[in-house]
Amino acid sequence: MERPAWAPPGIDISVPSVSRMYDFYLGGSHNFEVDREAARKAMEFMPGLPKIMQANRAFMRRAVRYAVDNGVTQFLDIGSGIPTFGNVHEVAQAAHPGAHVVYVDHDPVAVAHSRAVLAGDERAAVVAADLRKPADILHSPEAERLLDLDRPVALLLVAVLHFLEDEDRPREAVVELIDALAPGSLVVLTHASYEGIPLTEEQASGTVGVYRNIRNPLVMRSGPEIARFFEGTELLEPGLVPMPHWRPDGPVEEEDPYAFSGFAGVGRKA
């Protein structure tokens, strides 16, 4: 397999990557045939996966604009993936030119491409780190340079927590991150769930199996289980809801049924 120029040396391009599969669903070009093959297999069980990802990104953009409108101009985006058009720094800096953004991912391709995209932008940076090790994120040179933790920060955990199993202690990691943030900080979160998917759980479980087979388990949690990630914050209106229902820009009746899969919410630290 020929290695493209943008692929960092040392990564195994014969193994599917969740970040690159996500890029494929969104119509990006930073993915390999092995990623496309795995994504197509997942779509055999759940054809609407691209619609879910598009709804996820649309929610993220609305939440970023909400944050800026409410005076929060610092963003910590963990599990940020490969930057595509309309990413956090673009939306945030369009709304407030002085906004600072720190992206975090453990996928070498996502980190390398982020660095290329952000070259020359002194208000945004990427950290190679893992959500399961919050201290590595919070004490990274990039975070310490760009984020003032004495002021509110918007913590983005968008489509990432469902890739951590309970044994990875994701709630403890989120608590540690929230504890480090100033009052008034926001937690912006989406999470996969069997609830809302226009398929039976048995049908949808085929997609879960595809992710398990590539050693990236997709953990489908219930609404109450997802709500626990907001402990320590006040869940803002309209609460934990399907993504199109969170402060929509327009009528949601025309949304694809798959867009209502899973949950989204924003919490504010008191």
Side-chain angles (χ1 to χ4, degrees), residues 97-141:
H100 285 189
V101 179
V102 174
Y103 291 113
V104 180
D105 209 289
H106 66 89
D107 184 326
V109 172
V111 172
H113 190 55
S114 297
R115 285 178 176 150
V117 168
L118 299 174
D121 188 340
E122 294 300 318
R123 297 161 299 167
V126 61
V127 178
D130 193 310
L131 170 57
R132 292 169 291 189
K133 299 179 179 179
D136 291 352
I137 297 170
L138 295 168
H139 300 301
S140 65

Side-chain angles (χ1 to χ4, degrees), residues 88-239:
V88 173
H89 72 285
E90 293 175 332
V91 177
Q93 292 174 358
H96 188 287
H100 285 189
V101 179
V102 174
Y103 291 113
V104 180
D105 209 289
H106 66 89
D107 184 326
V109 172
V111 172
H113 190 55
S114 297
R115 285 178 176 150
V117 168
L118 299 174
D121 188 340
E122 294 300 318
R123 297 161 299 167
V126 61
V127 178
D130 193 310
L131 170 57
R132 292 169 291 189
K133 299 179 179 179
D136 291 352
I137 297 170
L138 295 168
H139 300 301
S140 65
E142 295 85 355
E144 291 185 339
R145 177 173 68 86
L146 288 172
L147 301 180
D148 177 359
L149 297 184
D150 292 326
R151 295 172 46 239
V153 172
L155 169 64
L156 277 67
L157 298 167
V158 176
V160 63
L161 289 167
H162 48 233
F163 291 116
L164 296 185
E165 297 181 280
D166 288 345
E167 64 193 44
D168 292 316
R169 303 172 69 86
R171 289 185 181 86
E172 287 83 348
V174 174
V175 167
E176 186 173 341
L177 288 163
I178 293 173
D179 283 350
L181 303 181
S185 292
L186 302 176
V187 177
V188 177
L189 187 154
T190 64
H191 198 296
S193 176
Y194 284 119
E195 298 175 45
I197 297 176
L199 299 171
T200 66
E201 184 171 326
E202 182 180 7
Q203 290 172 306
S205 66
T207 291
V208 174
V210 171
Y211 279 89
R212 185 182 304 115
N213 289 340
I214 64 171
R215 295 188 292 280
N216 279 284
L218 179 60
V219 183
M220 308 290 264
R221 295 186 171 96
S222 68
E225 288 174 323
I226 297 166
R228 289 186 60 196
F229 287 115
F230 288 99
E231 290 177 359
T233 73
E234 173 197 0
L235 195 57
L236 302 179
E237 291 293 335

